[in-house]
Structures are given as C-alpha cells and as structure tokens.
Short mmCIF file of all heavy atoms in Angstrom, two decimals:
data_model
loop_
_atom_site.label_atom_id
_atom_site.label_comp_id
_atom_site.label_asym_id
_atom_site.label_seq_id
_atom_site.Cartn_x
_atom_site.Cartn_y
_atom_site.Cartn_z
N MET K 89 -2.84 224.49 -61.68
CA MET K 89 -3.67 225.03 -60.62
C MET K 89 -4.33 226.34 -61.07
O MET K 89 -5.49 226.55 -60.78
CB MET K 89 -2.83 225.22 -59.38
CG MET K 89 -3.65 225.61 -58.18
SD MET K 89 -2.69 225.24 -56.71
CE MET K 89 -3.54 226.18 -55.52
N LYS K 90 -3.56 227.16 -61.79
CA LYS K 90 -4.13 228.44 -62.25
C LYS K 90 -5.28 228.23 -63.22
O LYS K 90 -6.29 228.88 -63.15
CB LYS K 90 -3.05 229.29 -62.91
CG LYS K 90 -2.34 230.20 -62.01
CD LYS K 90 -1.47 231.15 -62.78
CE LYS K 90 -0.82 232.14 -61.87
NZ LYS K 90 0.02 233.10 -62.61
N GLU K 91 -5.09 227.24 -64.12
CA GLU K 91 -6.15 226.97 -65.09
C GLU K 91 -7.42 226.47 -64.44
O GLU K 91 -8.53 226.80 -64.87
CB GLU K 91 -5.70 225.96 -66.14
CG GLU K 91 -5.25 224.63 -65.52
CD GLU K 91 -4.30 223.87 -66.42
OE1 GLU K 91 -3.51 224.49 -67.12
OE2 GLU K 91 -4.39 222.65 -66.39
N ASN K 92 -7.29 225.72 -63.35
CA ASN K 92 -8.45 225.27 -62.58
C ASN K 92 -9.21 226.46 -61.97
O ASN K 92 -10.42 226.48 -61.97
CB ASN K 92 -8.07 224.31 -61.48
CG ASN K 92 -7.60 222.96 -62.01
OD1 ASN K 92 -7.87 222.65 -63.15
ND2 ASN K 92 -6.90 222.22 -61.20
N ARG K 93 -8.44 227.44 -61.49
CA ARG K 93 -9.06 228.60 -60.89
C ARG K 93 -9.85 229.38 -61.91
O ARG K 93 -10.98 229.81 -61.64
CB ARG K 93 -7.98 229.49 -60.25
CG ARG K 93 -8.59 230.63 -59.44
CD ARG K 93 -7.60 231.50 -58.72
NE ARG K 93 -6.29 230.95 -58.52
CZ ARG K 93 -5.17 231.65 -58.62
NH1 ARG K 93 -5.21 232.92 -58.87
NH2 ARG K 93 -4.01 231.06 -58.40
N PHE K 94 -9.30 229.53 -63.10
CA PHE K 94 -10.01 230.29 -64.13
C PHE K 94 -11.25 229.54 -64.61
O PHE K 94 -12.28 230.12 -64.86
CB PHE K 94 -9.09 230.61 -65.32
CG PHE K 94 -8.03 231.61 -64.98
CD1 PHE K 94 -6.70 231.30 -65.12
CD2 PHE K 94 -8.36 232.86 -64.49
CE1 PHE K 94 -5.71 232.22 -64.80
CE2 PHE K 94 -7.41 233.80 -64.18
CZ PHE K 94 -6.07 233.49 -64.34
N GLN K 95 -11.11 228.22 -64.70
CA GLN K 95 -12.27 227.40 -65.09
C GLN K 95 -13.36 227.53 -64.02
O GLN K 95 -14.53 227.66 -64.35
CB GLN K 95 -11.83 225.96 -65.24
CG GLN K 95 -12.92 225.05 -65.74
CD GLN K 95 -12.45 223.61 -65.90
OE1 GLN K 95 -11.39 223.27 -65.44
NE2 GLN K 95 -13.22 222.80 -66.56
N PHE K 96 -12.96 227.51 -62.78
CA PHE K 96 -13.90 227.65 -61.65
C PHE K 96 -14.61 229.00 -61.73
O PHE K 96 -15.82 229.10 -61.59
CB PHE K 96 -13.18 227.51 -60.33
CG PHE K 96 -13.98 227.90 -59.13
CD1 PHE K 96 -15.02 227.11 -58.69
CD2 PHE K 96 -13.72 229.08 -58.45
CE1 PHE K 96 -15.77 227.51 -57.60
CE2 PHE K 96 -14.47 229.44 -57.36
CZ PHE K 96 -15.50 228.68 -56.92
N LEU K 97 -13.85 230.06 -62.00
CA LEU K 97 -14.45 231.39 -62.06
C LEU K 97 -15.46 231.50 -63.19
O LEU K 97 -16.48 232.15 -63.08
CB LEU K 97 -13.37 232.46 -62.20
CG LEU K 97 -12.45 232.63 -60.97
CD1 LEU K 97 -11.33 233.61 -61.28
CD2 LEU K 97 -13.25 233.08 -59.78
N ASN K 98 -15.15 230.84 -64.32
CA ASN K 98 -16.10 230.87 -65.45
C ASN K 98 -17.38 230.16 -65.10
O ASN K 98 -18.48 230.61 -65.45
CB ASN K 98 -15.46 230.24 -66.69
CG ASN K 98 -14.40 231.09 -67.31
OD1 ASN K 98 -14.43 232.33 -67.15
ND2 ASN K 98 -13.47 230.52 -68.03
N ILE K 99 -17.27 229.02 -64.44
CA ILE K 99 -18.42 228.26 -64.04
C ILE K 99 -19.27 229.08 -63.06
O ILE K 99 -20.51 229.13 -63.20
CB ILE K 99 -18.02 226.89 -63.43
CG1 ILE K 99 -17.43 226.01 -64.50
CG2 ILE K 99 -19.21 226.23 -62.78
CD1 ILE K 99 -16.76 224.77 -63.98
N ILE K 100 -18.61 229.66 -62.07
CA ILE K 100 -19.35 230.44 -61.07
C ILE K 100 -20.04 231.65 -61.71
O ILE K 100 -21.17 231.99 -61.37
CB ILE K 100 -18.42 230.87 -59.94
CG1 ILE K 100 -18.00 229.69 -59.07
CG2 ILE K 100 -19.04 231.93 -59.05
CD1 ILE K 100 -19.14 228.99 -58.36
N ALA K 101 -19.37 232.28 -62.67
CA ALA K 101 -19.99 233.43 -63.34
C ALA K 101 -21.22 233.02 -64.10
O ALA K 101 -22.26 233.72 -64.05
CB ALA K 101 -18.98 234.06 -64.31
N HIS K 102 -21.15 231.86 -64.77
CA HIS K 102 -22.32 231.37 -65.52
C HIS K 102 -23.45 231.04 -64.56
O HIS K 102 -24.61 231.38 -64.80
CB HIS K 102 -21.92 230.11 -66.30
CG HIS K 102 -23.08 229.41 -66.94
ND1 HIS K 102 -23.76 229.93 -68.01
CD2 HIS K 102 -23.70 228.26 -66.64
CE1 HIS K 102 -24.75 229.13 -68.34
NE2 HIS K 102 -24.74 228.10 -67.53
N LEU K 103 -23.15 230.37 -63.43
CA LEU K 103 -24.19 230.03 -62.47
C LEU K 103 -24.79 231.30 -61.82
O LEU K 103 -25.97 231.33 -61.57
CB LEU K 103 -23.61 229.11 -61.38
CG LEU K 103 -23.23 227.70 -61.81
CD1 LEU K 103 -22.55 226.95 -60.72
CD2 LEU K 103 -24.41 226.93 -62.36
N ALA K 104 -23.97 232.29 -61.61
CA ALA K 104 -24.45 233.53 -61.01
C ALA K 104 -25.40 234.26 -61.97
O ALA K 104 -26.40 234.83 -61.54
CB ALA K 104 -23.28 234.43 -60.66
N ASP K 105 -25.08 234.23 -63.26
CA ASP K 105 -25.98 234.84 -64.26
C ASP K 105 -27.32 234.14 -64.26
O ASP K 105 -28.38 234.75 -64.34
CB ASP K 105 -25.34 234.78 -65.66
CG ASP K 105 -24.21 235.75 -65.83
OD1 ASP K 105 -24.09 236.67 -65.00
OD2 ASP K 105 -23.44 235.58 -66.78
N ARG K 106 -27.25 232.82 -64.21
CA ARG K 106 -28.51 232.03 -64.20
C ARG K 106 -29.31 232.34 -62.92
O ARG K 106 -30.52 232.50 -62.99
CB ARG K 106 -28.16 230.55 -64.25
CG ARG K 106 -29.34 229.64 -64.13
CD ARG K 106 -29.81 229.11 -65.50
NE ARG K 106 -30.83 228.09 -65.29
CZ ARG K 106 -32.11 228.27 -65.59
NH1 ARG K 106 -32.47 229.41 -66.17
NH2 ARG K 106 -32.99 227.33 -65.38
N LEU K 107 -28.64 232.47 -61.82
CA LEU K 107 -29.30 232.78 -60.54
C LEU K 107 -29.97 234.15 -60.62
O LEU K 107 -31.10 234.34 -60.18
CB LEU K 107 -28.30 232.72 -59.40
CG LEU K 107 -28.83 232.96 -58.01
CD1 LEU K 107 -29.88 231.93 -57.64
CD2 LEU K 107 -27.70 232.95 -56.99
N LYS K 108 -29.27 235.08 -61.21
CA LYS K 108 -29.81 236.42 -61.38
C LYS K 108 -31.09 236.42 -62.20
O LYS K 108 -32.09 237.05 -61.83
CB LYS K 108 -28.76 237.31 -62.07
CG LYS K 108 -29.14 238.74 -62.28
CD LYS K 108 -28.04 239.48 -62.96
CE LYS K 108 -28.41 240.87 -63.36
NZ LYS K 108 -27.34 241.56 -64.09
N THR K 109 -31.10 235.67 -63.28
CA THR K 109 -32.28 235.53 -64.12
C THR K 109 -33.45 234.92 -63.37
O THR K 109 -34.58 235.37 -63.44
CB THR K 109 -31.98 234.65 -65.36
OG1 THR K 109 -30.86 235.23 -66.05
CG2 THR K 109 -33.14 234.53 -66.28
N LEU K 110 -33.14 233.84 -62.62
CA LEU K 110 -34.20 233.16 -61.89
C LEU K 110 -34.79 234.04 -60.78
O LEU K 110 -35.97 234.07 -60.54
CB LEU K 110 -33.66 231.86 -61.27
CG LEU K 110 -33.38 230.71 -62.28
CD1 LEU K 110 -32.66 229.58 -61.57
CD2 LEU K 110 -34.63 230.24 -62.95
N GLN K 111 -33.94 234.81 -60.12
CA GLN K 111 -34.41 235.70 -59.07
C GLN K 111 -35.27 236.83 -59.67
O GLN K 111 -36.27 237.24 -59.04
CB GLN K 111 -33.24 236.27 -58.28
CG GLN K 111 -32.62 235.27 -57.37
CD GLN K 111 -31.38 235.81 -56.66
OE1 GLN K 111 -30.66 236.62 -57.20
NE2 GLN K 111 -31.16 235.30 -55.46
N LYS K 112 -34.92 237.30 -60.82
CA LYS K 112 -35.70 238.33 -61.49
C LYS K 112 -37.06 237.78 -61.86
O LYS K 112 -38.10 238.43 -61.67
CB LYS K 112 -35.00 238.86 -62.73
CG LYS K 112 -35.66 240.07 -63.32
CD LYS K 112 -34.82 240.61 -64.49
CE LYS K 112 -33.80 241.56 -63.93
NZ LYS K 112 -33.18 242.36 -65.01
N ARG K 113 -37.08 236.53 -62.37
CA ARG K 113 -38.37 235.90 -62.70
C ARG K 113 -39.24 235.74 -61.44
O ARG K 113 -40.44 235.94 -61.48
CB ARG K 113 -38.15 234.52 -63.30
CG ARG K 113 -37.71 234.54 -64.72
CD ARG K 113 -37.63 233.14 -65.25
NE ARG K 113 -36.84 233.07 -66.47
CZ ARG K 113 -36.41 231.95 -67.02
NH1 ARG K 113 -36.69 230.79 -66.46
NH2 ARG K 113 -35.68 231.98 -68.11
N LEU K 114 -38.61 235.36 -60.34
CA LEU K 114 -39.31 235.15 -59.09
C LEU K 114 -39.94 236.46 -58.61
O LEU K 114 -41.08 236.46 -58.14
CB LEU K 114 -38.34 234.61 -58.00
CG LEU K 114 -38.91 234.49 -56.59
CD1 LEU K 114 -40.06 233.54 -56.55
CD2 LEU K 114 -37.82 234.08 -55.64
N SER K 115 -39.22 237.55 -58.76
CA SER K 115 -39.72 238.83 -58.27
C SER K 115 -40.97 239.28 -58.99
O SER K 115 -41.74 240.13 -58.50
CB SER K 115 -38.66 239.91 -58.38
OG SER K 115 -38.45 240.25 -59.73
N ARG K 116 -41.21 238.73 -60.18
CA ARG K 116 -42.35 239.16 -61.00
C ARG K 116 -43.57 238.27 -60.76
O ARG K 116 -44.64 238.50 -61.36
CB ARG K 116 -41.99 239.12 -62.47
CG ARG K 116 -40.94 240.17 -62.81
CD ARG K 116 -40.60 240.15 -64.26
NE ARG K 116 -39.62 241.21 -64.53
CZ ARG K 116 -38.64 241.14 -65.38
NH1 ARG K 116 -38.42 240.01 -66.05
NH2 ARG K 116 -37.81 242.12 -65.58
N LYS K 117 -43.42 237.24 -59.94
CA LYS K 117 -44.54 236.35 -59.67
C LYS K 117 -45.36 236.86 -58.49
O LYS K 117 -44.86 237.53 -57.61
CB LYS K 117 -44.06 234.93 -59.31
CG LYS K 117 -43.15 234.29 -60.36
CD LYS K 117 -43.90 233.88 -61.57
CE LYS K 117 -43.03 233.14 -62.56
NZ LYS K 117 -43.01 233.64 -63.88
N LYS K 118 -46.66 236.51 -58.52
CA LYS K 118 -47.52 236.88 -57.39
C LYS K 118 -47.26 235.96 -56.24
O LYS K 118 -47.34 234.73 -56.36
CB LYS K 118 -48.99 236.77 -57.83
CG LYS K 118 -49.96 237.27 -56.84
CD LYS K 118 -51.37 237.25 -57.40
CE LYS K 118 -52.35 237.77 -56.39
NZ LYS K 118 -53.73 237.73 -56.92
N LYS K 119 -46.90 236.55 -55.11
CA LYS K 119 -46.50 235.75 -53.95
C LYS K 119 -47.62 234.84 -53.50
O LYS K 119 -48.78 235.23 -53.38
CB LYS K 119 -46.12 236.70 -52.78
CG LYS K 119 -45.37 235.96 -51.69
CD LYS K 119 -44.82 236.93 -50.72
CE LYS K 119 -43.97 236.17 -49.66
NZ LYS K 119 -43.47 237.07 -48.66
N GLY K 120 -47.25 233.56 -53.31
CA GLY K 120 -48.22 232.57 -52.84
C GLY K 120 -48.82 231.74 -53.98
O GLY K 120 -49.48 230.74 -53.73
N SER K 121 -48.59 232.15 -55.22
CA SER K 121 -49.18 231.41 -56.34
C SER K 121 -48.37 230.15 -56.61
O SER K 121 -47.25 229.98 -56.13
CB SER K 121 -49.22 232.26 -57.59
OG SER K 121 -47.91 232.50 -58.08
N LYS K 122 -48.93 229.25 -57.42
CA LYS K 122 -48.21 228.02 -57.76
C LYS K 122 -46.98 228.31 -58.59
O LYS K 122 -45.94 227.68 -58.42
CB LYS K 122 -49.17 227.08 -58.51
CG LYS K 122 -48.63 225.70 -58.64
CD LYS K 122 -49.73 224.70 -58.96
CE LYS K 122 -49.20 223.30 -58.88
NZ LYS K 122 -50.20 222.28 -58.98
N ARG K 123 -47.08 229.26 -59.50
CA ARG K 123 -45.88 229.61 -60.32
C ARG K 123 -44.80 230.24 -59.44
O ARG K 123 -43.62 230.05 -59.69
CB ARG K 123 -46.29 230.57 -61.41
CG ARG K 123 -47.09 229.88 -62.50
CD ARG K 123 -47.54 230.88 -63.57
NE ARG K 123 -48.48 230.26 -64.45
CZ ARG K 123 -48.21 229.94 -65.73
NH1 ARG K 123 -47.01 230.17 -66.24
NH2 ARG K 123 -49.11 229.39 -66.49
N TRP K 124 -45.20 231.02 -58.43
CA TRP K 124 -44.24 231.58 -57.48
C TRP K 124 -43.51 230.47 -56.76
O TRP K 124 -42.30 230.54 -56.60
CB TRP K 124 -45.00 232.47 -56.50
CG TRP K 124 -44.13 233.06 -55.42
CD1 TRP K 124 -43.31 234.13 -55.49
CD2 TRP K 124 -43.99 232.51 -54.08
NE1 TRP K 124 -42.68 234.35 -54.29
CE2 TRP K 124 -43.04 233.35 -53.41
CE3 TRP K 124 -44.53 231.45 -53.42
CZ2 TRP K 124 -42.67 233.13 -52.08
CZ3 TRP K 124 -44.15 231.25 -52.08
CH2 TRP K 124 -43.23 232.07 -51.46
N LEU K 125 -44.25 229.46 -56.34
CA LEU K 125 -43.63 228.33 -55.63
C LEU K 125 -42.62 227.62 -56.49
O LEU K 125 -41.56 227.24 -56.07
CB LEU K 125 -44.71 227.37 -55.12
CG LEU K 125 -44.24 226.25 -54.23
CD1 LEU K 125 -43.57 226.83 -52.97
CD2 LEU K 125 -45.40 225.37 -53.84
N LYS K 126 -43.01 227.43 -57.78
CA LYS K 126 -42.08 226.79 -58.73
C LYS K 126 -40.82 227.62 -58.89
O LYS K 126 -39.71 227.08 -58.97
CB LYS K 126 -42.76 226.60 -60.08
CG LYS K 126 -43.77 225.48 -60.14
CD LYS K 126 -44.34 225.40 -61.56
CE LYS K 126 -45.41 224.36 -61.66
NZ LYS K 126 -45.94 224.27 -63.04
N ALA K 127 -40.97 228.94 -58.93
CA ALA K 127 -39.84 229.84 -59.08
C ALA K 127 -38.96 229.80 -57.84
O ALA K 127 -37.72 229.86 -57.95
CB ALA K 127 -40.30 231.26 -59.37
N VAL K 128 -39.58 229.73 -56.67
CA VAL K 128 -38.81 229.64 -55.43
C VAL K 128 -37.96 228.37 -55.43
O VAL K 128 -36.78 228.36 -55.06
CB VAL K 128 -39.75 229.65 -54.19
CG1 VAL K 128 -39.01 229.24 -52.93
CG2 VAL K 128 -40.38 230.98 -54.02
N ILE K 129 -38.56 227.25 -55.86
CA ILE K 129 -37.82 225.97 -55.93
C ILE K 129 -36.67 226.08 -56.90
O ILE K 129 -35.56 225.60 -56.64
CB ILE K 129 -38.77 224.84 -56.27
CG1 ILE K 129 -39.75 224.60 -55.10
CG2 ILE K 129 -38.04 223.56 -56.61
CD1 ILE K 129 -40.90 223.69 -55.43
N ALA K 130 -36.90 226.70 -58.06
CA ALA K 130 -35.82 226.85 -59.05
C ALA K 130 -34.65 227.69 -58.49
O ALA K 130 -33.49 227.35 -58.71
CB ALA K 130 -36.39 227.49 -60.31
N VAL K 131 -34.98 228.76 -57.76
CA VAL K 131 -33.93 229.60 -57.19
C VAL K 131 -33.14 228.81 -56.12
O VAL K 131 -31.93 228.85 -56.07
CB VAL K 131 -34.52 230.90 -56.56
CG1 VAL K 131 -33.51 231.60 -55.70
CG2 VAL K 131 -35.03 231.80 -57.66
N ALA K 132 -33.85 228.02 -55.33
CA ALA K 132 -33.20 227.22 -54.29
C ALA K 132 -32.28 226.20 -54.90
O ALA K 132 -31.17 225.97 -54.43
CB ALA K 132 -34.26 226.52 -53.42
N LYS K 133 -32.72 225.54 -55.99
CA LYS K 133 -31.85 224.57 -56.68
C LYS K 133 -30.62 225.22 -57.24
O LYS K 133 -29.50 224.67 -57.15
CB LYS K 133 -32.62 223.92 -57.84
CG LYS K 133 -33.61 222.84 -57.42
CD LYS K 133 -34.27 222.25 -58.66
CE LYS K 133 -35.31 221.19 -58.27
NZ LYS K 133 -35.94 220.60 -59.44
N GLN K 134 -30.78 226.43 -57.76
CA GLN K 134 -29.60 227.14 -58.32
C GLN K 134 -28.64 227.53 -57.21
O GLN K 134 -27.42 227.41 -57.41
CB GLN K 134 -30.07 228.38 -59.12
CG GLN K 134 -28.99 228.98 -59.94
CD GLN K 134 -28.48 228.07 -61.04
OE1 GLN K 134 -29.20 227.21 -61.56
NE2 GLN K 134 -27.25 228.27 -61.45
N HIS K 135 -29.14 227.98 -56.08
CA HIS K 135 -28.27 228.30 -54.93
C HIS K 135 -27.49 227.06 -54.53
O HIS K 135 -26.30 227.15 -54.22
CB HIS K 135 -29.10 228.80 -53.75
CG HIS K 135 -29.33 230.27 -53.75
ND1 HIS K 135 -28.29 231.18 -53.60
CD2 HIS K 135 -30.46 231.00 -53.84
CE1 HIS K 135 -28.81 232.42 -53.62
NE2 HIS K 135 -30.09 232.32 -53.79
N LYS K 136 -28.15 225.90 -54.51
CA LYS K 136 -27.47 224.67 -54.14
C LYS K 136 -26.38 224.32 -55.14
O LYS K 136 -25.29 223.88 -54.73
CB LYS K 136 -28.48 223.52 -54.05
CG LYS K 136 -27.82 222.21 -53.65
CD LYS K 136 -28.70 221.33 -52.85
CE LYS K 136 -28.11 219.99 -52.54
NZ LYS K 136 -26.72 219.96 -52.19
N LYS K 137 -26.63 224.52 -56.43
CA LYS K 137 -25.61 224.25 -57.43
C LYS K 137 -24.37 225.12 -57.22
O LYS K 137 -23.25 224.64 -57.34
CB LYS K 137 -26.18 224.48 -58.85
CG LYS K 137 -27.08 223.39 -59.34
CD LYS K 137 -27.55 223.68 -60.73
CE LYS K 137 -28.53 222.63 -61.22
NZ LYS K 137 -29.00 222.88 -62.59
N VAL K 138 -24.62 226.41 -56.93
CA VAL K 138 -23.48 227.32 -56.69
C VAL K 138 -22.70 226.85 -55.47
O VAL K 138 -21.46 226.78 -55.49
CB VAL K 138 -24.00 228.76 -56.50
CG1 VAL K 138 -22.84 229.66 -56.03
CG2 VAL K 138 -24.56 229.28 -57.82
N ALA K 139 -23.40 226.52 -54.38
CA ALA K 139 -22.76 226.08 -53.17
C ALA K 139 -21.96 224.80 -53.39
O ALA K 139 -20.82 224.67 -52.92
CB ALA K 139 -23.80 225.87 -52.07
N ASP K 140 -22.53 223.86 -54.15
CA ASP K 140 -21.86 222.61 -54.44
C ASP K 140 -20.59 222.81 -55.26
O ASP K 140 -19.57 222.18 -55.02
CB ASP K 140 -22.78 221.62 -55.12
CG ASP K 140 -23.85 221.06 -54.21
OD1 ASP K 140 -23.71 221.22 -52.97
OD2 ASP K 140 -24.83 220.49 -54.74
N GLN K 141 -20.67 223.72 -56.24
CA GLN K 141 -19.50 224.01 -57.07
C GLN K 141 -18.37 224.63 -56.25
O GLN K 141 -17.21 224.26 -56.38
CB GLN K 141 -19.87 224.99 -58.20
CG GLN K 141 -20.57 224.34 -59.36
CD GLN K 141 -19.67 223.42 -60.16
OE1 GLN K 141 -18.44 223.66 -60.27
NE2 GLN K 141 -20.23 222.39 -60.71
N ARG K 142 -18.72 225.56 -55.36
CA ARG K 142 -17.72 226.18 -54.50
C ARG K 142 -17.07 225.14 -53.57
O ARG K 142 -15.87 225.12 -53.39
CB ARG K 142 -18.34 227.29 -53.67
CG ARG K 142 -18.62 228.52 -54.49
CD ARG K 142 -19.16 229.64 -53.61
NE ARG K 142 -19.29 230.85 -54.42
CZ ARG K 142 -20.19 231.77 -54.21
NH1 ARG K 142 -21.01 231.67 -53.19
NH2 ARG K 142 -20.25 232.81 -54.98
N LYS K 143 -17.93 224.30 -52.96
CA LYS K 143 -17.43 223.30 -52.05
C LYS K 143 -16.49 222.31 -52.79
O LYS K 143 -15.42 221.99 -52.30
CB LYS K 143 -18.60 222.50 -51.46
CG LYS K 143 -18.22 221.65 -50.29
CD LYS K 143 -19.42 220.84 -49.76
CE LYS K 143 -20.59 221.68 -49.37
NZ LYS K 143 -21.71 220.88 -48.83
N ASP K 144 -16.90 221.89 -53.99
CA ASP K 144 -16.08 220.99 -54.80
C ASP K 144 -14.73 221.61 -55.13
O ASP K 144 -13.70 220.95 -55.03
CB ASP K 144 -16.82 220.63 -56.09
CG ASP K 144 -16.08 219.66 -56.95
OD1 ASP K 144 -15.75 218.56 -56.45
OD2 ASP K 144 -15.84 219.97 -58.12
N PHE K 145 -14.75 222.87 -55.50
CA PHE K 145 -13.48 223.55 -55.84
C PHE K 145 -12.57 223.63 -54.60
O PHE K 145 -11.36 223.35 -54.70
CB PHE K 145 -13.76 224.98 -56.36
CG PHE K 145 -12.50 225.76 -56.61
CD1 PHE K 145 -11.71 225.47 -57.71
CD2 PHE K 145 -12.12 226.77 -55.77
CE1 PHE K 145 -10.55 226.19 -57.95
CE2 PHE K 145 -10.98 227.51 -56.01
CZ PHE K 145 -10.18 227.21 -57.11
N HIS K 146 -13.14 223.93 -53.46
CA HIS K 146 -12.29 224.02 -52.24
C HIS K 146 -11.70 222.67 -51.86
O HIS K 146 -10.53 222.59 -51.50
CB HIS K 146 -13.12 224.59 -51.07
CG HIS K 146 -13.51 226.02 -51.23
ND1 HIS K 146 -12.57 226.99 -51.51
CD2 HIS K 146 -14.71 226.64 -51.21
CE1 HIS K 146 -13.18 228.17 -51.62
NE2 HIS K 146 -14.46 227.98 -51.43
N PHE K 147 -12.49 221.60 -51.99
CA PHE K 147 -11.97 220.26 -51.68
C PHE K 147 -10.86 219.91 -52.64
O PHE K 147 -9.80 219.39 -52.25
CB PHE K 147 -13.10 219.25 -51.77
CG PHE K 147 -14.00 219.22 -50.56
CD1 PHE K 147 -15.36 219.09 -50.70
CD2 PHE K 147 -13.47 219.28 -49.28
CE1 PHE K 147 -16.16 219.08 -49.61
CE2 PHE K 147 -14.30 219.27 -48.17
CZ PHE K 147 -15.66 219.15 -48.33
N LYS K 148 -11.07 220.15 -53.93
CA LYS K 148 -10.05 219.79 -54.95
C LYS K 148 -8.79 220.58 -54.77
O LYS K 148 -7.70 220.07 -54.92
CB LYS K 148 -10.64 219.97 -56.36
CG LYS K 148 -11.63 218.90 -56.73
CD LYS K 148 -12.14 219.09 -58.13
CE LYS K 148 -13.13 217.98 -58.46
NZ LYS K 148 -13.72 218.17 -59.81
N THR K 149 -8.92 221.86 -54.47
CA THR K 149 -7.77 222.73 -54.24
C THR K 149 -6.98 222.27 -53.04
O THR K 149 -5.76 222.21 -53.05
CB THR K 149 -8.18 224.19 -54.08
OG1 THR K 149 -8.97 224.58 -55.21
CG2 THR K 149 -6.98 225.09 -53.96
N ALA K 150 -7.70 221.94 -51.96
CA ALA K 150 -7.04 221.46 -50.74
C ALA K 150 -6.29 220.14 -50.97
O ALA K 150 -5.20 219.94 -50.43
CB ALA K 150 -8.05 221.28 -49.63
N ASN K 151 -6.86 219.27 -51.77
CA ASN K 151 -6.21 218.00 -52.07
C ASN K 151 -4.95 218.15 -52.92
O ASN K 151 -4.01 217.38 -52.82
CB ASN K 151 -7.19 217.04 -52.76
CG ASN K 151 -8.18 216.42 -51.80
OD1 ASN K 151 -7.89 216.32 -50.60
ND2 ASN K 151 -9.30 216.01 -52.29
N GLU K 152 -4.94 219.20 -53.77
CA GLU K 152 -3.75 219.44 -54.60
C GLU K 152 -2.56 219.90 -53.72
O GLU K 152 -1.43 219.62 -54.03
CB GLU K 152 -4.02 220.51 -55.64
CG GLU K 152 -4.79 220.01 -56.84
CD GLU K 152 -4.99 221.06 -57.89
OE1 GLU K 152 -4.41 222.17 -57.78
OE2 GLU K 152 -5.77 220.83 -58.83
N LEU K 153 -2.86 220.58 -52.64
CA LEU K 153 -1.81 221.06 -51.77
C LEU K 153 -1.25 219.88 -51.04
O LEU K 153 -0.16 219.65 -50.81
CB LEU K 153 -2.36 222.10 -50.76
CG LEU K 153 -2.97 223.33 -51.39
CD1 LEU K 153 -3.54 224.21 -50.27
CD2 LEU K 153 -1.95 224.11 -52.19
#
C-alpha cells in the first residue's frame, strides 16, 4: 500500500509539472486567438488527467481496505 502511495505521488507530481507548463504557455497567448483556444483545450485535458488519476487512486485504495 505504501509503494502505491509513492507511485501515485510521483505520477501526480509529473502531471502537475506538465499542467504548470501548459498554463504558462496559455498565459502567453493572445486571448481569443486560435492558438489560445488550442492552449485552453490542452490545459483542460491535463486537468482531466489529474482528476482521473486522483479518482482512480481513491477507488483503488478504498478497494484495498
């Protein structure tokens, strides 16, 4: 169980770094442009990945108990 927690934390840290990069890229785009829209979609996808990973971890942890 402990090893799963550490593995989860590593995954979340990696996803958070990626999210940080995408948000920084988004902030540099001109609002309303096509590239801005693409960046918004990329940030939204990354947020979903983080949420799905957290949800998956909680379900798996609950099932172990």
Side-chain angles (χ1 to χ4, degrees):
M89 188 160 162
K90 269 190 176 181
E91 58 203 34
N92 290 343
R93 188 175 341 142
F94 291 122
Q95 185 179 12
F96 169 72
L97 292 175
N98 287 337
I99 291 169
I100 290 296
H102 173 71
L103 292 175
D105 287 344
R106 174 100 173 111
L107 182 60
K108 181 180 174 183
T109 303
L110 290 172
Q111 286 176 329
K112 189 175 274 193
R113 284 185 197 167
L114 173 62
S115 72
R116 294 180 177 143
K117 305 287 185 233
K118 186 174 181 181
K119 193 170 184 182
S121 69
K122 192 162 188 171
R123 289 176 189 252
W124 175 82
L125 187 59
K126 286 181 183 181
V128 168
I129 291 169
V131 169
K133 283 182 182 179
Q134 191 65 26
H135 270 296
K136 179 148 177 41
K137 284 182 184 179
V138 171
D140 288 345
Q141 281 290 329
R142 286 184 176 150
K143 193 183 302 183
D144 182 56
F145 176 73
H146 291 307
F147 282 137
K148 286 181 179 178
T149 304
N151 284 335
E152 281 182 10
L153 300 177

